[in-house]
Amino acid sequence: MYTKYSAWNLFRQGLSRRPWPRVWEHHELGSSYDVVIVGGGVHGLATAYYLARNHGITDVAVLEKSYIGSGGSGRNTAIIRSNYLTPEGARFYDRSVKLYEGLAEDLNFNVMFEQRGHMTLAHSDASLRTMRWRAEVNKLEGIDSSVISPDAIKELAPFLDVSNHPRYPIVGALWHPPGGIIRHDAVVWGYARAANALGAHIHQDTELVDIEVSEGRVTGVQTSRGPISSGIVVNCTAGWASLISDMAGVEMPIVTRPLQAAVTEPVKQFLHPVIVSGSLHTYVSQTARGELVFGASVDPFASYSTRGSLEFTTGLATHVLELMPAIANMRLLRQWAGLCDMTPDFGPIIGPTSVDGFYVDVGWGTYGFKAGPVAGESVADMIANGRPGELISSFGLDRFEAGTLTAEKGAAAVGH
Ligand code: PYC
Protein backbone atom coordinates (compact mmCIF):
# COMPACT_ATOMS: atom_id res chain seq x y z
CA MET A 1 0.00 0.00 0.00
CA TYR A 2 1.16 3.58 -0.55
CA THR A 3 1.32 6.47 1.89
CA LYS A 4 -1.99 8.27 1.40
CA TYR A 5 -1.74 11.89 0.25
CA SER A 6 -3.73 13.85 2.86
CA ALA A 7 -3.36 17.05 4.89
CA TRP A 8 -2.51 14.95 7.96
CA ASN A 9 0.18 12.95 6.17
CA LEU A 10 1.62 16.11 4.64
CA PHE A 11 1.93 17.53 8.15
CA ARG A 12 3.44 14.30 9.57
CA GLN A 13 5.86 13.91 6.67
CA GLY A 14 6.96 17.55 7.05
CA LEU A 15 7.70 17.00 10.74
CA SER A 16 9.54 13.72 10.11
CA ARG A 17 11.96 15.43 7.68
CA ARG A 18 12.15 12.16 5.76
CA PRO A 19 11.64 12.19 1.98
CA TRP A 20 8.31 10.94 0.64
CA PRO A 21 8.41 7.28 -0.38
CA ARG A 22 8.86 6.55 -4.09
CA VAL A 23 5.65 6.93 -6.09
CA TRP A 24 6.13 3.44 -7.55
CA GLU A 25 8.74 0.77 -6.88
CA HIS A 26 11.43 -0.66 -9.11
CA HIS A 27 11.10 -4.43 -9.67
CA GLU A 28 13.38 -6.94 -11.32
CA LEU A 29 11.88 -8.22 -14.56
CA GLY A 30 9.91 -11.40 -13.77
CA SER A 31 10.28 -14.47 -16.00
CA SER A 32 6.51 -14.85 -16.27
CA TYR A 33 3.34 -12.82 -15.66
CA ASP A 34 -0.36 -13.57 -16.07
CA VAL A 35 -0.71 -10.43 -18.21
CA VAL A 36 1.91 -8.39 -20.09
CA ILE A 37 0.84 -4.89 -21.12
CA VAL A 38 2.92 -3.16 -23.78
CA GLY A 39 2.98 0.63 -23.36
CA GLY A 40 3.34 2.66 -20.16
CA GLY A 41 0.98 5.47 -21.10
CA VAL A 42 -2.45 6.20 -19.68
CA HIS A 43 -4.05 3.23 -21.52
CA GLY A 44 -1.53 0.63 -20.32
CA LEU A 45 -1.38 1.92 -16.74
CA ALA A 46 -5.15 2.29 -16.47
CA THR A 47 -5.56 -1.29 -17.74
CA ALA A 48 -3.13 -2.53 -15.05
CA TYR A 49 -4.99 -0.54 -12.40
CA TYR A 50 -8.51 -1.75 -13.32
CA LEU A 51 -7.29 -5.37 -13.74
CA ALA A 52 -6.16 -5.25 -10.11
CA ARG A 53 -8.89 -3.09 -8.62
CA ASN A 54 -11.94 -4.47 -10.43
CA HIS A 55 -10.88 -8.08 -11.03
CA GLY A 56 -8.12 -8.94 -8.54
CA ILE A 57 -5.66 -9.70 -11.38
CA THR A 58 -2.36 -8.40 -10.01
CA ASP A 59 0.34 -10.55 -11.64
CA VAL A 60 0.76 -7.93 -14.35
CA ALA A 61 3.78 -6.30 -16.04
CA VAL A 62 3.60 -2.95 -17.84
CA LEU A 63 6.49 -2.60 -20.32
CA GLU A 64 7.56 0.90 -21.33
CA LYS A 65 10.48 1.41 -23.70
CA SER A 66 11.25 4.88 -22.30
CA TYR A 67 9.75 6.53 -19.18
CA ILE A 68 6.05 6.32 -18.36
CA GLY A 69 3.94 8.93 -20.17
CA SER A 70 6.75 9.70 -22.64
CA GLY A 71 4.58 8.93 -25.68
CA GLY A 72 1.13 10.24 -26.55
CA SER A 73 0.13 10.53 -22.87
CA GLY A 74 2.64 13.32 -22.29
CA ARG A 75 2.27 14.98 -25.68
CA ASN A 76 -1.46 15.61 -26.05
CA THR A 77 -3.19 18.90 -25.32
CA ALA A 78 -5.02 17.38 -22.31
CA ILE A 79 -8.57 18.06 -23.54
CA ILE A 80 -11.38 15.91 -22.12
CA ARG A 81 -14.84 15.80 -23.75
CA SER A 82 -17.59 13.44 -24.83
CA ASN A 83 -19.46 15.46 -27.49
CA TYR A 84 -18.99 12.81 -30.18
CA LEU A 85 -21.03 12.25 -33.31
CA THR A 86 -22.03 8.58 -33.10
CA PRO A 87 -24.13 7.16 -30.24
CA GLU A 88 -21.50 4.47 -29.52
CA GLY A 89 -18.70 7.07 -29.50
CA ALA A 90 -20.62 9.51 -27.29
CA ARG A 91 -21.55 6.73 -24.81
CA PHE A 92 -17.98 5.47 -24.63
CA TYR A 93 -16.32 8.87 -24.10
CA ASP A 94 -19.03 9.86 -21.63
CA ARG A 95 -18.01 6.94 -19.43
CA SER A 96 -14.44 8.29 -19.65
CA VAL A 97 -15.56 11.77 -18.55
CA LYS A 98 -17.37 10.17 -15.59
CA LEU A 99 -14.24 8.23 -14.62
CA TYR A 100 -12.12 11.39 -14.98
CA GLU A 101 -14.58 13.25 -12.72
CA GLY A 102 -13.92 10.77 -9.90
CA LEU A 103 -10.27 10.07 -10.66
CA ALA A 104 -8.56 12.36 -8.12
CA GLU A 105 -10.48 10.69 -5.31
CA ASP A 106 -10.23 7.23 -6.79
CA LEU A 107 -6.44 7.39 -7.23
CA ASN A 108 -5.77 9.70 -4.22
CA PHE A 109 -3.85 11.91 -6.64
CA ASN A 110 -4.72 15.45 -7.69
CA VAL A 111 -5.20 15.18 -11.46
CA MET A 112 -6.45 18.79 -11.63
CA PHE A 113 -9.47 18.16 -13.87
CA GLU A 114 -11.06 21.54 -14.63
CA GLN A 115 -14.46 21.24 -16.32
CA ARG A 116 -14.34 24.69 -17.87
CA GLY A 117 -16.61 23.82 -20.81
CA HIS A 118 -15.71 22.97 -24.39
CA MET A 119 -16.83 25.24 -27.23
CA THR A 120 -16.61 24.27 -30.91
CA LEU A 121 -17.16 27.31 -33.12
CA ALA A 122 -19.19 27.16 -36.32
CA HIS A 123 -18.16 29.54 -39.09
CA SER A 124 -20.67 28.35 -41.69
CA ASP A 125 -24.17 26.92 -41.98
CA ALA A 126 -22.68 23.55 -42.94
CA SER A 127 -20.69 23.25 -39.71
CA LEU A 128 -23.67 24.50 -37.69
CA ARG A 129 -25.68 21.62 -39.17
CA THR A 130 -23.09 19.04 -37.97
CA MET A 131 -23.12 20.66 -34.54
CA ARG A 132 -26.88 20.38 -34.27
CA TRP A 133 -26.55 16.73 -35.21
CA ARG A 134 -23.87 16.17 -32.54
CA ALA A 135 -25.93 18.04 -29.93
CA GLU A 136 -28.99 15.87 -30.63
CA VAL A 137 -27.00 12.61 -30.47
CA ASN A 138 -25.40 13.82 -27.22
CA LYS A 139 -28.74 14.74 -25.65
CA LEU A 140 -30.18 11.32 -26.47
CA GLU A 141 -27.21 9.81 -24.61
CA GLY A 142 -27.80 12.10 -21.61
CA ILE A 143 -24.73 14.26 -22.39
CA ASP A 144 -24.87 17.99 -21.76
CA SER A 145 -24.35 19.59 -25.23
CA SER A 146 -26.27 22.25 -27.10
CA VAL A 147 -25.92 24.70 -29.96
CA ILE A 148 -25.57 28.29 -28.71
CA SER A 149 -25.90 31.69 -30.39
CA PRO A 150 -23.17 34.32 -30.97
CA ASP A 151 -24.55 36.34 -28.01
CA ALA A 152 -24.17 33.37 -25.66
CA ILE A 153 -20.67 32.74 -27.06
CA LYS A 154 -19.73 36.35 -26.27
CA GLU A 155 -20.78 35.87 -22.65
CA LEU A 156 -18.66 32.74 -22.25
CA ALA A 157 -15.63 34.02 -24.22
CA PRO A 158 -15.77 37.84 -24.29
CA PHE A 159 -12.56 38.28 -26.30
CA LEU A 160 -14.03 36.53 -29.40
CA ASP A 161 -15.31 38.81 -32.15
CA VAL A 162 -18.84 37.60 -32.89
CA SER A 163 -19.66 40.41 -35.34
CA ASN A 164 -19.85 39.73 -39.08
CA HIS A 165 -16.54 41.57 -39.67
CA PRO A 166 -14.02 38.65 -39.43
CA ARG A 167 -13.10 36.66 -42.52
CA TYR A 168 -14.49 33.57 -40.72
CA PRO A 169 -17.53 34.98 -38.85
CA ILE A 170 -18.74 32.99 -35.83
CA VAL A 171 -22.33 31.94 -36.52
CA GLY A 172 -22.86 29.64 -33.50
CA ALA A 173 -21.13 26.98 -31.44
CA LEU A 174 -21.52 23.53 -29.93
CA TRP A 175 -21.31 24.12 -26.17
CA HIS A 176 -20.39 21.17 -23.94
CA PRO A 177 -20.10 22.22 -20.26
CA PRO A 178 -18.59 18.92 -18.91
CA GLY A 179 -15.56 19.22 -21.24
CA GLY A 180 -12.33 20.69 -19.96
CA ILE A 181 -8.64 20.19 -19.37
CA ILE A 182 -6.58 18.06 -17.01
CA ARG A 183 -2.93 17.57 -16.02
CA HIS A 184 -1.93 14.64 -18.22
CA ASP A 185 1.31 13.88 -16.33
CA ALA A 186 -0.67 13.69 -13.08
CA VAL A 187 -3.08 11.19 -14.65
CA VAL A 188 -0.17 8.97 -15.72
CA TRP A 189 1.54 9.17 -12.32
CA GLY A 190 -1.72 8.64 -10.45
CA TYR A 191 -2.52 5.44 -12.37
CA ALA A 192 1.10 4.23 -12.05
CA ARG A 193 1.13 4.76 -8.29
CA ALA A 194 -2.23 3.07 -7.76
CA ALA A 195 -1.46 0.11 -10.09
CA ASN A 196 1.90 -0.43 -8.38
CA ALA A 197 0.29 -0.28 -4.94
CA LEU A 198 -2.12 -3.04 -6.01
CA GLY A 199 0.74 -5.28 -7.22
CA ALA A 200 1.48 -4.46 -10.88
CA HIS A 201 5.14 -4.22 -11.92
CA ILE A 202 6.01 -1.16 -14.00
CA HIS A 203 9.16 -1.72 -16.09
CA GLN A 204 10.54 1.45 -17.64
CA ASP A 205 13.46 1.35 -20.13
CA THR A 206 12.16 -2.04 -21.24
CA GLU A 207 11.53 -2.29 -24.95
CA LEU A 208 9.44 -4.98 -26.59
CA VAL A 209 11.55 -6.84 -29.17
CA ASP A 210 9.22 -9.65 -30.24
CA ILE A 211 5.96 -11.43 -29.44
CA GLU A 212 6.08 -15.23 -29.25
CA VAL A 213 3.17 -17.09 -30.86
CA SER A 214 2.79 -20.85 -31.00
CA GLU A 215 -0.07 -22.69 -32.72
CA GLY A 216 -2.18 -19.54 -32.90
CA ARG A 217 -1.69 -18.63 -29.20
CA VAL A 218 0.49 -16.02 -27.62
CA THR A 219 3.09 -17.60 -25.30
CA GLY A 220 5.23 -14.65 -24.26
CA VAL A 221 7.41 -11.75 -25.32
CA GLN A 222 11.09 -10.95 -25.83
CA THR A 223 12.21 -7.66 -24.34
CA SER A 224 15.45 -5.66 -24.32
CA ARG A 225 15.93 -6.99 -20.76
CA GLY A 226 15.08 -10.64 -21.42
CA PRO A 227 12.16 -12.98 -22.17
CA ILE A 228 8.84 -13.12 -20.32
CA SER A 229 6.35 -15.94 -20.68
CA SER A 230 2.68 -15.00 -20.59
CA GLY A 231 -0.59 -16.23 -22.06
CA ILE A 232 -1.99 -12.71 -22.37
CA VAL A 233 -0.29 -9.79 -24.12
CA VAL A 234 -2.06 -6.45 -24.64
CA ASN A 235 -0.86 -3.86 -27.14
CA CYS A 236 -1.63 -0.48 -25.51
CA THR A 237 0.76 1.61 -27.58
CA ALA A 238 0.27 4.70 -29.70
CA GLY A 239 2.60 5.52 -32.56
CA TRP A 240 4.08 2.03 -32.81
CA ALA A 241 0.82 0.09 -32.57
CA SER A 242 1.00 -1.40 -36.06
CA LEU A 243 4.68 -2.42 -35.72
CA ILE A 244 3.99 -4.14 -32.40
CA SER A 245 0.93 -5.94 -33.73
CA ASP A 246 3.06 -7.07 -36.71
CA MET A 247 5.28 -8.90 -34.19
CA ALA A 248 2.31 -11.15 -33.41
CA GLY A 249 1.48 -11.47 -37.13
CA VAL A 250 -1.66 -9.29 -36.79
CA GLU A 251 -2.00 -6.60 -39.45
CA MET A 252 -3.57 -3.27 -38.46
CA PRO A 253 -5.31 -0.79 -40.82
CA ILE A 254 -3.34 2.11 -39.33
CA VAL A 255 -1.34 5.02 -40.75
CA THR A 256 0.81 6.92 -38.24
CA ARG A 257 0.90 10.70 -38.53
CA PRO A 258 2.38 13.36 -36.25
CA LEU A 259 0.14 15.87 -34.48
CA GLN A 260 1.92 19.06 -33.45
CA ALA A 261 1.16 21.38 -30.56
CA ALA A 262 2.67 24.50 -29.00
CA VAL A 263 2.56 26.47 -25.77
CA THR A 264 3.02 30.21 -25.15
CA GLU A 265 4.51 32.18 -22.31
CA PRO A 266 2.09 32.56 -19.36
CA VAL A 267 -0.28 35.54 -19.19
CA LYS A 268 -3.06 36.63 -16.84
CA GLN A 269 -6.16 34.39 -17.02
CA PHE A 270 -8.55 35.53 -19.76
CA LEU A 271 -9.69 32.32 -21.44
CA HIS A 272 -11.95 30.07 -19.42
CA PRO A 273 -13.43 27.48 -21.82
CA VAL A 274 -11.59 25.32 -24.34
CA ILE A 275 -12.12 26.90 -27.77
CA VAL A 276 -12.07 24.85 -30.98
CA SER A 277 -12.38 26.04 -34.55
CA GLY A 278 -12.62 23.22 -37.08
CA SER A 279 -12.53 25.58 -40.07
CA LEU A 280 -9.40 27.31 -38.77
CA HIS A 281 -7.83 23.94 -37.83
CA THR A 282 -7.01 24.98 -34.30
CA TYR A 283 -7.94 24.58 -30.63
CA VAL A 284 -6.75 26.51 -27.62
CA SER A 285 -7.02 26.37 -23.84
CA GLN A 286 -5.36 28.32 -21.04
CA THR A 287 -3.59 26.32 -18.33
CA ALA A 288 -3.86 27.12 -14.62
CA ARG A 289 -0.35 28.63 -14.93
CA GLY A 290 -1.59 30.98 -17.67
CA GLU A 291 0.06 29.52 -20.79
CA LEU A 292 -2.02 29.10 -23.94
CA VAL A 293 -1.84 25.55 -25.32
CA PHE A 294 -2.55 25.24 -29.04
CA GLY A 295 -3.07 22.25 -31.28
CA ALA A 296 -3.96 21.75 -34.92
CA SER A 297 -4.69 19.03 -37.48
CA VAL A 298 -2.41 16.02 -37.93
CA ASP A 299 0.48 16.58 -40.35
CA PRO A 300 -0.53 15.73 -43.94
CA PHE A 301 1.98 12.84 -44.26
CA ALA A 302 2.86 9.57 -42.52
CA SER A 303 5.90 9.85 -40.24
CA TYR A 304 7.31 8.81 -36.85
CA SER A 305 8.85 12.23 -36.22
CA THR A 306 8.12 13.91 -32.88
CA ARG A 307 9.87 17.18 -33.80
CA GLY A 308 8.09 20.46 -34.40
CA SER A 309 8.27 22.17 -37.81
CA LEU A 310 8.34 25.80 -38.93
CA GLU A 311 5.43 25.12 -41.33
CA PHE A 312 3.30 24.18 -38.34
CA THR A 313 4.13 27.34 -36.38
CA THR A 314 3.48 29.71 -39.26
CA GLY A 315 0.22 27.92 -40.18
CA LEU A 316 -0.90 27.92 -36.55
CA ALA A 317 -0.13 31.64 -36.11
CA THR A 318 -2.05 32.51 -39.28
CA HIS A 319 -5.11 30.60 -38.10
CA VAL A 320 -5.00 31.62 -34.45
CA LEU A 321 -4.62 35.32 -35.22
CA GLU A 322 -7.78 35.18 -37.34
CA LEU A 323 -9.55 34.19 -34.15
CA MET A 324 -7.57 36.12 -31.51
CA PRO A 325 -5.72 39.06 -33.12
CA ALA A 326 -5.01 40.58 -29.69
CA ILE A 327 -2.41 37.92 -28.85
CA ALA A 328 -0.15 38.78 -31.81
CA ASN A 329 2.74 39.80 -29.55
CA MET A 330 2.74 36.74 -27.30
CA ARG A 331 5.77 34.49 -27.56
CA LEU A 332 5.72 30.74 -28.14
CA LEU A 333 7.77 28.85 -25.56
CA ARG A 334 7.82 25.35 -27.01
CA GLN A 335 6.41 23.15 -29.73
CA TRP A 336 6.41 19.38 -30.07
CA ALA A 337 4.64 16.49 -31.77
CA GLY A 338 2.92 13.28 -30.71
CA LEU A 339 2.16 10.29 -32.91
CA CYS A 340 -1.40 9.48 -33.92
CA ASP A 341 -2.37 6.06 -35.24
CA MET A 342 -5.13 6.93 -37.69
CA THR A 343 -7.72 4.31 -38.68
CA PRO A 344 -9.94 4.59 -41.78
CA ASP A 345 -13.06 5.50 -39.76
CA PHE A 346 -11.45 7.49 -36.91
CA GLY A 347 -12.63 4.84 -34.44
CA PRO A 348 -10.24 2.89 -32.18
CA ILE A 349 -9.40 -0.80 -32.53
CA ILE A 350 -10.00 -2.44 -29.19
CA GLY A 351 -10.61 -6.14 -28.69
CA PRO A 352 -9.24 -9.64 -29.28
CA THR A 353 -7.33 -10.57 -32.45
CA SER A 354 -6.85 -13.68 -34.58
CA VAL A 355 -4.05 -14.71 -32.18
CA ASP A 356 -5.47 -16.17 -28.95
CA GLY A 357 -4.42 -14.13 -25.93
CA PHE A 358 -3.20 -11.16 -27.98
CA TYR A 359 -5.44 -8.12 -27.42
CA VAL A 360 -5.22 -4.62 -28.87
CA ASP A 361 -6.19 -1.20 -27.53
CA VAL A 362 -4.85 0.95 -30.37
CA GLY A 363 -5.74 3.17 -33.33
CA TRP A 364 -6.81 6.12 -31.21
CA GLY A 365 -5.95 8.78 -33.78
CA THR A 366 -6.34 12.14 -32.05
CA TYR A 367 -8.73 10.83 -29.34
CA GLY A 368 -6.43 8.64 -27.24
CA PHE A 369 -5.79 10.53 -24.04
CA LYS A 370 -9.43 11.36 -23.31
CA ALA A 371 -10.30 7.63 -23.69
CA GLY A 372 -7.62 6.38 -21.26
CA PRO A 373 -9.80 5.55 -18.22
CA VAL A 374 -12.68 3.93 -20.11
CA ALA A 375 -10.31 2.01 -22.38
CA GLY A 376 -8.39 0.72 -19.34
CA GLU A 377 -11.60 -0.26 -17.61
CA SER A 378 -13.01 -1.96 -20.74
CA VAL A 379 -9.80 -3.84 -21.60
CA ALA A 380 -9.46 -5.08 -18.01
CA ASP A 381 -13.07 -6.25 -18.14
CA MET A 382 -12.50 -8.00 -21.50
CA ILE A 383 -9.44 -9.85 -20.18
CA ALA A 384 -11.23 -10.91 -17.00
CA ASN A 385 -14.41 -12.03 -18.81
CA GLY A 386 -12.81 -13.34 -22.01
CA ARG A 387 -14.94 -11.18 -24.34
CA PRO A 388 -15.46 -7.49 -25.16
CA GLY A 389 -18.19 -5.72 -23.20
CA GLU A 390 -21.08 -3.69 -24.61
CA LEU A 391 -19.26 -0.32 -24.60
CA ILE A 392 -16.49 -1.53 -26.93
CA SER A 393 -18.39 -4.06 -29.03
CA SER A 394 -18.45 -1.80 -32.12
CA PHE A 395 -14.70 -1.06 -32.04
CA GLY A 396 -13.38 -4.54 -32.94
CA LEU A 397 -10.78 -5.22 -35.63
CA ASP A 398 -13.27 -7.43 -37.50
CA ARG A 399 -15.37 -4.38 -38.47
CA PHE A 400 -12.95 -3.59 -41.29
CA GLU A 401 -13.72 -6.96 -42.91
CA ALA A 402 -17.42 -6.85 -42.07
CA GLY A 403 -17.73 -3.27 -43.39
CA THR A 404 -19.38 -1.99 -40.20
CA LEU A 405 -17.29 1.15 -39.80
CA THR A 406 -17.94 3.69 -37.04
CA ALA A 407 -17.85 7.09 -38.88
CA GLU A 408 -16.40 9.19 -36.04
CA LYS A 409 -14.47 11.60 -38.29
CA GLY A 410 -17.15 14.27 -37.92
CA ALA A 411 -16.41 14.52 -34.20
CA ALA A 412 -12.73 15.39 -34.70
CA ALA A 413 -11.77 18.61 -32.95
CA VAL A 414 -10.54 19.98 -36.27
CA GLY A 415 -10.68 18.79 -39.88
CA HIS A 416 -7.92 16.23 -40.67
O1 PYC B 1 -10.49 15.46 -30.13
O2 PYC B 1 -10.63 17.05 -28.64
C1 PYC B 1 -10.00 16.38 -29.46
C2 PYC B 1 -8.57 16.64 -29.64
C3 PYC B 1 -7.88 17.70 -29.17
C4 PYC B 1 -6.59 17.51 -29.56
C5 PYC B 1 -6.51 16.38 -30.29
N1 PYC B 1 -7.74 15.85 -30.32
Side-chain angles (χ1 to χ4, degrees):
M1 225 10 228
Y2 49 63
T3 308
K4 201 164 159 43
Y5 293 153
S6 65
W8 168 242
N9 276 337
L10 182 64
F11 177 68
R12 258 185 15 158
Q13 196 73 27
L15 285 184
S16 79
R17 294 174 169 266
R18 284 197 307 270
W20 281 88
R22 285 182 63 86
V23 173
W24 64 88
E25 299 151 276
H26 172 79
H27 294 98
E28 290 309 313
L29 194 71
S31 58
S32 99
Y33 289 95
D34 288 347
V35 181
V36 169
I37 296 169
V38 188
V42 63
H43 284 249
L45 294 164
T47 300
Y49 171 67
Y50 293 114
L51 274 171
R53 195 198 73 173
N54 293 355
H55 306 285
I57 300 173
T58 57
D59 187 27
V60 174
V62 179
L63 308 182
E64 168 53 52
K65 74 172 176 173
S66 179
Y67 58 90
I68 61 166
S70 55
S73 293
R75 294 167 180 276
N76 59 82
T77 43
I79 296 171
I80 309 295
R81 65 184 176 94
S82 61
N83 53 357
Y84 279 72
L85 180 65
T86 65
E88 59 273 27
R91 229 173 277 145
F92 179 77
Y93 288 95
D94 189 46
R95 174 69 188 153
S96 221
V97 170
K98 298 274 174 357
L99 288 168
Y100 270 126
E101 282 171 347
L103 207 58
E105 197 174 342
D106 194 11
L107 302 180
N108 178 232
F109 204 103
N110 187 0
V111 292
M112 293 174 258
F113 185 23
E114 294 180 65
Q115 294 183 285
R116 296 157 165 234
H118 183 279
M119 187 190 289
T120 311
L121 304 174
H123 302 280
S124 67
D125 287 348
S127 50
L128 206 51
R129 198 164 49 238
T130 310
M131 279 164 207
R132 285 198 200 288
W133 179 359
R134 278 168 72 180
E136 292 312 310
V137 169
N138 289 181
K139 283 180 200 158
L140 284 173
E141 295 301 327
I143 296 166
D144 189 358
S145 280
S146 55
V147 172
I148 58 171
S149 68
D151 285 347
I153 294 170
K154 189 79 187 162
E155 269 184 34
L156 292 160
F159 66 93
L160 288 175
D161 183 353
V162 296
S163 72
N164 57 5
H165 300 150
R167 185 140 62 107
Y168 295 91
I170 297 169
V171 296
L174 179 65
W175 175 234
H176 176 51
I181 49 173
I182 201 162
R183 275 295 295 257
H184 51 199
D185 46 351
V187 173
V188 169
W189 278 51
Y191 272 124
R193 173 169 168 266
N196 169 79
L198 294 174
H201 288 190
I202 297 165
H203 297 295
Q204 301 185 101
D205 287 320
T206 308
E207 185 166 357
L208 187 78
V209 176
D210 205 359
I211 298 176
E212 310 281 345
V213 177
S214 171
E215 295 176 2
R217 262 214 74 80
V218 96
T219 55
V221 297
Q222 296 288 341
T223 79
S224 54
R225 289 173 56 207
I228 303 174
S229 65
S230 181
I232 298 180
V233 175
V234 195
N235 179 359
C236 286
T237 60
W240 293 270
S242 48
L243 302 181
I244 284 166
S245 291
D246 280 350
M247 293 178 188
V250 175
E251 211 179 321
M252 289 284 147
I254 282 177
V255 177
T256 301
R257 289 163 68 171
L259 176 58
Q260 298 193 45
V263 63
T264 67
E265 60 187 333
V267 293
K268 194 172 164 185
Q269 293 291 332
F270 71 96
L271 172 60
H272 193 66
V274 179
I275 306 281
V276 180
S277 167
S279 312
L280 287 166
H281 300 275
T282 192
Y283 36 89
V284 55
S285 65
Q286 187 168 23
T287 68
R289 274 199 301 257
E291 304 119 328
L292 297 184
V293 179
F294 291 106
S297 314
V298 287
D299 283 345
F301 44 81
S303 165
Y304 289 101
S305 166
T306 51
R307 300 185 58 146
S309 69
L310 183 61
E311 287 82 359
F312 164 76
T313 333
T314 51
L316 178 74
T318 313
H319 289 142
V320 163
L321 294 180
E322 284 284 341
L323 211 55
M324 304 162 69
I327 65 163
N329 290 330
M330 276 178 85
R331 282 168 292 201
L332 279 187
L333 282 189
R334 267 180 302 119
Q335 66 179 112
W336 65 93
L339 298 180
C340 297
D341 288 333
M342 312 301 292
T343 61
D345 62 358
F346 281 59
I349 307 175
I350 178 167
T353 65
S354 53
V355 173
D356 258 8
F358 179 59
Y359 295 90
V360 290
D361 166 16
V362 299
W364 290 98
T366 60
Y367 301 147
F369 184 75
K370 51 188 106 313
V374 65
E377 185 185 57
S378 305
V379 172
D381 185 65
M382 167 171 68
I383 290 169
N385 298 323
R387 59 184 157 67
E390 179 66 29
L391 264 188
I392 54 169
S393 56
S394 30
F395 302 141
L397 180 58
D398 51 0
R399 74 180 185 275
F400 297 101
E401 264 182 41
T404 50
L405 303 194
T406 65
E408 204 56 275
K409 184 169 184 180
V414 297
H416 295 294

